[in-house]
Amino acid sequence: MATFTPREIVSELDRYIVGQRAAKRAVAIALRNRWRRLHVPPELRDEIAPKNIIMIGPTGVGKTEVSRRLAKLAQAPFIKVEASKFTEVGYVGRDVESIIRDLTELAINMVREEEKEKVRVRAREQAEERVLDLLLPPVRPERRIHAVGSESERKAATPEDSATREKLRRMLREGKLDERLVELEVTKPVGPMIEVMTPQGMEEIETNLKEMLQNLLPKKTKKTRLRVPEALETLEQEEAARLIDMEAATKEAIRRVEQSGIVFIDEIDKIAGREGMHGPDVSREGVQRDLLPIVEGSTVNTKHGPVRTDHVLFIASGAFHIAKPSDLIPEFQGRFPIRVELDALTQADFIRILTEPENALIRQYTALLATEHVALVFRDDAIAELARIAALVNERTENIGARRLHTVMERLLDEISTGTSRATSCERSGAPDRRRGPTSNARRATARRAGCTSARREA
C-alpha cells in the first residue's frame, strides 16, 4: 500500500461504489494507517492499535461492498461474518473464535495460490516431461525418464529417443496432440465416513480427526483416461503442490492475518441488547462479551498455530432500525472508536449506480445478452424511469437499497431473456436471422410462426 494515499484509495473505491464519501474516507485512512504503522520505530509499532470502524446505515447502501473492495485493493485476508450466527458459550451456535480460524484458512489458500503462480513455469515444465513420458514410454524400464529424474538418467536416452521426444514436445506445445488420450494415475485420499458431536468451542475436533485418519489410511490410486490438455493441467497442479514449501506459506499466511487481516461483522445491531432480556435474546450481551477479547487483541489457537488479533482491523455494520449503537455494552462500543453513518440511496443515486460503476447493472445485463447476439440499448429516460420505479417501491415497501434495482431489471428483461433461447433455436434450425440480410417472405412467415424475434431490443 505504499503507493496508495487515502485520496487514491477513495478514488479506487469510487470506481465501484456510488456515494458514501464518509465511509470511504474512514476505511481509506484506516488502511493507510496500517502502512504507516509498519514504518514507525519498532518500539512504538506494537503499541499502535487499529482504529476499528462501525458503519450505520440501512441495507443495500454499500456497507459490505466498501469493506470487500477495500480488502481486494489491499490484497489482505478478508472474511465476512454475521453476528447473529454466534452465541455465547453454553448455547447452541458458532464459537466466535471460529472467525479467526476461518480467516487463517482463507489466508493460507491465498498464499498457496500466490506461491503456485511463482512456480508455475517450473511446474509446467515438469508436467510436460511427465506427459511426454506417457506419450513416449521408454523401451527399457531402466531407461525410464522421470520428470524428477537426475541429469544422468535423462542422458541415458538414445539419440533416436531424444529426437522423437523433441518432436513430440513441439507438437505438444503447438496443440497438435490435444485430441490424444493418455492414461493417468490419480491419487485420491480416503475420506472416512465419521460424524463427531463436539461441544461449544471445539468445532475443529472433527476436522482434525478426519485429517489424522486420512494420514493413517492408505491412499487410493485410480487410473483414468484424459485428453492431453486435461492431463497437463492435472499434472501441473500436482507438481506445483510439490514445489511449494507449505511450512513457509503457513507462516506467511499467519503473518498476513496478524498484520493486515480484515474482519467484517455484519448485523451487529442484532446482538445489541441489555441484561434482563428473555427468550432467544438472552445471549445477545454474551456474544458481545465473547467478541470483546478478539477485538481488543488476544491469541486464538488454530491447527496451524497461535494467531494474535491485536492488529486485525474489525469493521462492524448494522441498520440499527430498532436498536441503537448505544445499546451495545460500553466496552464493545469503546473498541469501535470510528462511527460512520451511511446515507440512504435516492433516485439520483440509483441512476448513477445503473451507469457509472465499472460493474454497473446495465453493463452486466448488456454483456449477458450479447452472448446470444441480443443488443440492449438503454436511453437516458429509460434509466431514469428504472431508478424512479426502484425508489418508489423502496418507499412503499421494505427499503432494501440498491438491491431493488436487481428486482426491477429482472422483471423488465424477463421476456427478452426468455426470447433469446427461441432466437438461438431459430438460428440452429435454419430460420432467418435479420442481422444476416433480407430473406424471402415465406421464410419470414415461417420464422414468425416459429416464434423467432429480432436480435436487437431496445429498453
Side-chain angles (χ1 to χ4, degrees), residues 385-436:
E385 182 64 15
L386 287 171
R388 187 192 68 82
I389 293 173
L392 182 63
V393 176
N394 276 344
E395 181 181 347
R396 292 182 176 179
T397 60
E398 188 71 24
N399 186 357
I400 60 174
R403 294 186 178 93
R404 184 69 66 185
L405 292 173
H406 292 269
T407 304
V408 176
M409 291 290 291
E410 285 292 336
R411 292 296 300 272
L412 171 68
L413 300 176
D414 179 73
E415 183 179 350
I416 297 176
S417 298
T418 306
T420 56
S421 59
R422 293 199 299 269
T424 305
S425 62
C426 290
E427 293 181 9
R428 286 197 299 264
S429 62
D433 185 346
R434 296 182 183 181
R435 293 177 292 105
R436 299 178 182 174

Side-chain angles (χ1 to χ4, degrees), residues 171-224:
M171 296 175 64
L172 177 63
R173 294 177 177 176
E174 293 172 0
K176 296 180 180 179
L177 303 177
D178 288 353
E179 299 302 321
R180 292 277 296 273
L181 293 174
V182 294
E183 191 175 72
L184 191 64
E185 194 172 79
V186 181
T187 302
K188 292 186 177 181
V190 179
M193 300 298 295
I194 183 172
E195 293 293 335
V196 180
M197 299 298 292
T198 60
Q200 182 74 19
M202 303 180 68
E203 292 88 352
E204 286 193 306
I205 288 182
E206 180 179 359
T207 303
N208 294 336
L209 186 57
K210 285 185 177 180
E211 290 182 356
M212 181 183 67
L213 292 177
Q214 286 177 359
N215 294 330
L216 293 177
L217 295 175
K219 298 183 181 298
K220 272 188 176 180
T221 58
K222 178 182 178 182
K223 290 187 177 181
T224 180

Side-chain angles (χ1 to χ4, degrees), residues 28 75 82 93 95-96 109 123 131 149 167 170 212 272 298-299 319 387 406:
Q75 296 180 345
E82 296 179 0
D95 177 20
V96 294
N109 291 334
V131 170
K167 182 179 179 180
R170 288 194 301 270
M212 181 183 67
S298 62
T299 301
H406 292 269

Side-chain angles (χ1 to χ4, degrees), residues 152-354:
S152 60
E153 288 176 330
R154 296 187 183 279
K155 291 180 180 179
T158 63
E160 293 80 6
D161 291 341
S162 300
T164 306
R165 191 179 185 86
E166 291 304 318
K167 182 179 179 180
L168 283 175
R169 192 190 307 276
R170 288 194 301 270
M171 296 175 64
L172 177 63
R173 294 177 177 176
E174 293 172 0
K176 296 180 180 179
L177 303 177
D178 288 353
E179 299 302 321
R180 292 277 296 273
L181 293 174
V182 294
E183 191 175 72
L184 191 64
E185 194 172 79
V186 181
T187 302
K188 292 186 177 181
V190 179
M193 300 298 295
I194 183 172
E195 293 293 335
V196 180
M197 299 298 292
T198 60
Q200 182 74 19
M202 303 180 68
E203 292 88 352
E204 286 193 306
I205 288 182
E206 180 179 359
T207 303
N208 294 336
L209 186 57
K210 285 185 177 180
E211 290 182 356
M212 181 183 67
L213 292 177
Q214 286 177 359
N215 294 330
L216 293 177
L217 295 175
K219 298 183 181 298
K220 272 188 176 180
T221 58
K222 178 182 178 182
K223 290 187 177 181
T224 180
R225 295 180 64 83
L226 300 173
R227 295 187 183 277
V228 168
E230 298 173 356
L232 196 59
E233 182 67 23
T234 302
L235 292 175
E236 181 180 345
Q237 294 294 328
E238 187 177 318
E239 293 296 333
R242 291 178 181 175
L243 293 171
I244 294 175
D245 185 354
M246 280 306 301
E247 184 176 353
T250 301
K251 290 181 180 179
E252 171 64 17
I254 292 177
R255 188 196 67 80
R256 290 193 189 183
V257 170
E258 294 179 339
Q259 302 299 325
S260 62
I262 299 176
V263 175
F264 182 79
I265 307 176
D266 200 5
E267 297 183 355
I268 199 69
D269 55 323
K270 302 294 177 57
I271 62 171
R274 295 289 188 173
E275 291 184 357
M277 303 293 290
H278 300 283
D281 298 328
V282 71
S283 66
R284 287 184 173 184
E285 185 176 339
V287 177
Q288 297 180 53
R289 296 195 180 278
D290 286 349
L291 282 170
L292 192 58
I294 298 178
V295 178
E296 286 181 337
S298 62
T299 301
V300 177
N301 291 319
T302 70
K303 65 180 181 181
H304 303 288
V307 178
R308 293 196 59 82
T309 65
D310 299 73
H311 301 288
V312 174
L313 177 63
F314 290 87
I315 303 176
S317 75
F320 289 99
H321 291 310
I322 301 175
K324 302 183 296 295
S326 58
D327 290 334
L328 297 168
I329 60 177
E331 299 91 337
F332 197 79
Q333 294 182 50
R335 298 309 301 175
F336 290 85
I338 301 177
R339 185 175 299 181
V340 182
E341 294 190 12
L342 284 80
D343 303 322
L345 299 176
T346 63
Q347 180 177 339
D349 293 328
F350 286 157
I351 294 176
R352 295 180 59 194
I353 291 172
L354 286 170

